[in-house]
Amino acid sequence: MAFTVAIDGPAAAGKGTISKAVAAAFGFAHLDTGLLYRAVGARHLLGEDPLQAAKSLTADDLAGPNLRTADVAQAASKVAVLPDVRSALVDFQQAFARRDAGAVLDGRDIGTVICPDAEAKLFVTASAEIRAERRFNELCANGQTTDYKTVLADVKERDRRDSERATAPLKPADDAIIIDTSELDIEAAIKAAIDAISVIRDAK
Ligand code: CDP
């Protein structure tokens, strides 16, 4: 039976880690929708028209080695403003969401636009400073050279662009459960998400 979990939130809030853990706990498939925009952004950085890139994305694009860099993150949030690019990616995300075995999708507009009928909707957030600290540690662990101030500025700039765009802006769905992970370690954040989804699932 299809069961869709929508997990939205701002940059580096912990959506990815939580989504993977939720998918593993319930045996659901997981789609990191940010990767779609990162893959389009990466191809645009190489000179391609963003809409053409969005229309012709392949599995290989999503496995690209450099999708987690700060430059690609910025390019992703710029192409993500374009309504045609967003439209080109809708069908794939919606088909993934309704697969029989259940699905977790994380992104910015899953609960509001892509899957407004999702059975469970979470909005995962944390203060910009905490998110920047986590992203800084992650980038350093991946061998990238950066500093905390640059990462904080990048996170704030993407938050602003993602929240202020006209099409599918970043915001919690009216019926989303908010999980603020500022004061939670990752185990506690995962538990909060799994507990919230279990309550909804058991009530079905
Ligand atoms: O990992 P992080 O939270 O930093 O970013 P991401 O989820 O990989 O998303 C990268 C960028 O793609 C975001 O800043 C958004 O601009 C865009 N995005 C979007 O517009 N809609 C989505 N469903 C997912 C990502």
Side-chain angles (χ1 to χ4, degrees):
M1 191 182 71
F3 186 99
T4 306
V5 181
I7 303 188
D8 291 304
K15 301 181 301 293
T17 310
I18 292 173
S19 299
K20 282 193 198 93
V22 164
F26 292 95
F28 294 166
H30 170 228
L31 178 64
D32 170 0
T33 66
L35 266 191
L36 303 174
Y37 294 91
R38 285 175 182 260
V40 174
R43 280 174 54 172
H44 181 49
L45 284 177
L46 295 174
E48 200 173 336
D49 173 67
L51 181 56
Q52 283 315 314
K55 283 181 170 168
S56 60
L57 272 192
T58 65
D60 281 353
D61 289 319
L62 303 185
N66 299 320
L67 297 182
R68 297 280 169 205
T69 64
D71 286 350
V72 169
Q74 281 292 352
S77 86
K78 287 179 187 163
V79 298
V81 169
L82 305 170
D84 288 350
V85 165
R86 303 199 71 84
S87 301
L89 300 174
V90 167
D91 287 351
F92 176 76
Q93 295 175 82
Q94 289 182 338
F96 190 97
R98 295 323 286 171
R99 55 175 56 203
D100 273 351
V104 182
L105 286 81
D106 74 272
R108 301 292 187 288
D109 62 340
I110 307 303
T112 50
V113 174
I114 302 295
C115 304
D117 297 327
E119 282 76 10
K121 297 181 187 176
L122 305 183
F123 191 86
V124 178
T125 189
S127 73
E129 287 71 20
I130 298 265
R131 290 186 285 117
E133 195 179 312
R134 291 178 187 158
R135 181 51 51 90
F136 172 67
N137 291 333
E138 197 179 303
L139 291 170
C140 291
N142 290 341
Q144 297 184 44
T145 313
T146 185
D147 60 89
Y148 171 76
K149 273 193 177 164
T150 306
V151 176
L152 178 60
D154 176 76
V155 158
K156 285 184 171 170
E157 189 185 344
R158 276 202 295 138
D159 284 355
R160 188 191 48 73
R161 198 182 294 120
D162 291 348
S163 306
E164 291 180 359
R165 68 182 175 222
T167 306
L170 167 69
K171 63 171 182 197
D174 289 341
D175 50 352
I177 297 163
I178 312 282
I179 299 180
D180 188 326
T181 67
S182 302
E183 313 256 308
L184 300 180
D185 63 21
I186 192 61
E187 282 78 23
I190 289 169
K191 184 175 182 318
I194 290 176
D195 287 353
I197 296 162
S198 296
V199 169
I200 296 167
R201 221 172 170 223
D202 292 348
K204 291 268 164 205

